[in-house]
Amino acid sequence: MTTATAARTPAIDSRLPRVGTTIFTVMSALAQQHGAVNLGQGFPDFDCDPALLDAVERAMRGGLNQYPPMAGVPQLREAVAAKIDAMYGRCYDPGSEITITAGATQAIITAILAIVHPGDEVIVLDPCYDSYEPNIELAGGRAVHVPLTPGTFRPDFARIAAALSPRTRAIIINTPHNPSATIWTAGDMQRLAELLRPTDVFVIADEVYEHMVYDGARHESVARHAELAQRAFIVSSFGKTYHVTGWKVGYVAAPATMTAEFRKVHQFNVFTVNTPMQHGLAAFMADASHHLGLPAFYQRKRDLFRAGLAGSRFRLLPSEGSYFQCVDYSAISDEPEEAFCRRLTTEVGVAAIPLSAFYQGGFEQRIVRFCFAKKDETLRLALERLAAL
């Protein structure tokens, strides 16, 4: 008889050894465990327009259920190009410059994999969305962290200039900004264009909250600025715009030569995106009021939430765009941000996200982020509980 060899799973040399469970997962689980109102994760708790569901159902029942073209359904790419032209005055060719993606996160990693080589550097502006650095690491690059100005979260162009080097391959910018809810101005875009003019640095512009800008301000899409647009991958999200984050559909607009490289990666990491949803979105976009009405829709929710906190001990930071509201809790507690968020969830019954989670190595400012993309009754319940602080 032969001695049986024990089955063994080979050890993995992790590509992302420092990555663990995100704070979003942790806080959502804690909120569910304690019956807290979850204002932590950034997604709506209300339904999308029934007309969008009807459009998708028509596509499904109409037999549009097989693979679409790799770059996306032509009608949807045409609708995206028309929207960008109408809103920002830049004409992208839907055939060679618009690609439909499996959400914005896939779009960002695909752009990074298309241009970043081992040893390259990519500038990221802290605080930032948590996928940026792991994406850069998977490409073999190195994230160079440049903090936004503490207190105002404005871009610090002197520090960005100091971070530029011969190894810099790209810079990732995000406006409207998650988590701080600030927006870049036309002057900011001009300063960035001037800094990058003598370089071959690419821009990856995360504009997923493009239709959530308040108080009459204008979203300064990179598409408005020809000098930047010529070197930029512009990323947006149908999920954020139309309240369907779980559909994971987004798009990228970029010059044809950049799009060609982007699609080389795209075709081998997702190939293509859900067909009936693409057709449904294309039909829904024919009515521009669905995205043009979004600033007023979310500004009302922002104002309701801010008014409810106005008499509290929280200090409200500006919320210029996105669907987030940051608050300073220094007058309430001297706890570290994560500890405060845990107590807020378990004892007060409202979940938030610590801003330190968006910084490399953490950075304590006694600021937490709430999401106000919720039903009015959800926001009122949260405000009632927060009033106890």
Side-chain angles (χ1 to χ4, degrees), residues 127-384:
C128 67
Y129 183 51
D130 62 353
S131 83
Y132 296 167
E133 183 164 15
N135 292 176
I136 295 161
E137 290 180 358
L138 287 170
R142 185 174 76 89
V144 176
H145 292 266
V146 175
L148 296 169
T149 305
T152 65
F153 301 100
R154 307 307 314 167
D156 185 333
F157 289 102
R159 296 189 73 163
I160 294 171
L164 287 167
S165 81
R167 294 180 299 278
T168 306
R169 187 66 169 166
I171 180 171
I172 304 177
I173 67 172
N174 174 210
T175 182
H177 185 244
N178 175 21
S180 75
T182 55
I183 60 174
W184 281 41
T185 66
D188 293 333
M189 290 296 180
Q190 184 59 38
R191 291 282 303 279
L192 183 64
E194 291 165 0
L195 272 186
L196 300 186
R197 189 174 298 151
T199 77
D200 289 323
V201 172
F202 292 97
V203 175
I204 299 173
D206 181 348
E207 301 187 12
V208 299
Y209 301 101
E210 62 175 317
H211 300 299
M212 302 166 204
V213 176
Y214 311 126
D215 303 314
R218 185 176 86 160
H219 170 53
E220 288 300 327
S221 174
V222 165
R224 293 188 189 276
H225 301 271
E227 195 173 349
L228 291 174
Q230 282 298 113
R231 61 173 78 220
F233 296 97
I234 300 174
V235 177
S236 193
S237 164
F238 297 110
K240 295 291 195 302
T241 299
Y242 298 130
H243 320 310
V244 286
T245 59
W247 290 11
K248 295 300 294 178
V249 185
Y251 65 82
V252 168
T257 55
M258 294 169 59
T259 295
E261 290 303 312
F262 180 92
R263 289 178 180 176
K264 287 179 183 179
V265 178
H266 174 79
Q267 71 180 331
F268 293 117
N269 66 8
V270 295
F271 178 64
T272 192
V273 180
N274 190 297
T275 302
M277 287 176 178
Q278 288 196 58
H279 283 282
L281 286 163
F284 193 68
M285 287 183 73
D287 182 352
S289 68
H290 294 134
H291 58 262
L292 294 177
L294 211 57
F297 174 83
Y298 272 123
Q299 182 169 331
R300 189 189 64 79
K301 289 187 177 295
R302 181 204 67 170
D303 292 349
L304 183 158
F305 190 60
R306 288 176 66 88
L309 289 177
S312 74
R313 291 191 291 164
F314 288 112
R315 181 173 67 84
L316 292 163
L317 276 62
S319 178
E320 301 169 336
S322 80
Y323 47 45
F324 300 115
Q325 174 65 60
C326 287
V327 299
D328 183 318
Y329 65 85
S330 298
I332 298 171
S333 170
D334 60 1
E335 294 166 277
E337 290 172 8
E338 184 173 343
F340 179 77
C341 284
R342 286 179 178 273
R343 185 168 67 83
L344 196 66
T345 304
T346 59
E347 297 181 13
V348 180
V350 180
I353 296 293
L355 213 70
S356 56
F358 296 87
Y359 285 87
Q360 181 193 37
F363 175 49
E364 294 289 337
Q365 301 170 84
R366 296 184 193 166
I367 296 174
V368 299
R369 188 200 77 177
F370 293 114
C371 173
F372 56 78
K374 308 295 176 183
K375 298 173 185 174
D376 288 3
E377 53 264 40
T378 303
L379 295 175
R380 290 192 179 99
L381 176 58
L383 289 166
E384 180 183 315

Side-chain angles (χ1 to χ4, degrees), residues 34 53 62 78 84 101 217 275 290 332:
H34 291 272
L53 302 180
E78 290 163 5
I84 294 173
T101 63
T275 302
H290 294 134
I332 298 171

Side-chain angles (χ1 to χ4, degrees), residues 92-145:
Y92 285 91
D93 179 79
S96 62
E97 298 184 320
I98 304 288
T99 307
I100 306 303
T101 63
T105 302
Q106 183 254 318
I108 291 166
I109 191 171
T110 301
I112 289 169
L113 290 171
I115 60 172
V116 175
H117 297 265
D120 286 347
E121 295 178 349
V122 179
I123 295 173
V124 297
L125 306 178
D126 285 351
C128 67
Y129 183 51
D130 62 353
S131 83
Y132 296 167
E133 183 164 15
N135 292 176
I136 295 161
E137 290 180 358
L138 287 170
R142 185 174 76 89
V144 176
H145 292 266

Side-chain angles (χ1 to χ4, degrees), residues 15-44:
R15 297 289 304 275
L16 297 170
R18 295 181 292 112
V19 171
T21 304
T22 70
I23 190 67
F24 307 101
T25 301
V26 170
M27 295 310 301
S28 288
L30 201 62
Q32 186 173 25
Q33 180 183 347
H34 291 272
V37 180
N38 190 352
L39 302 188
Q41 282 198 292
F43 57 80

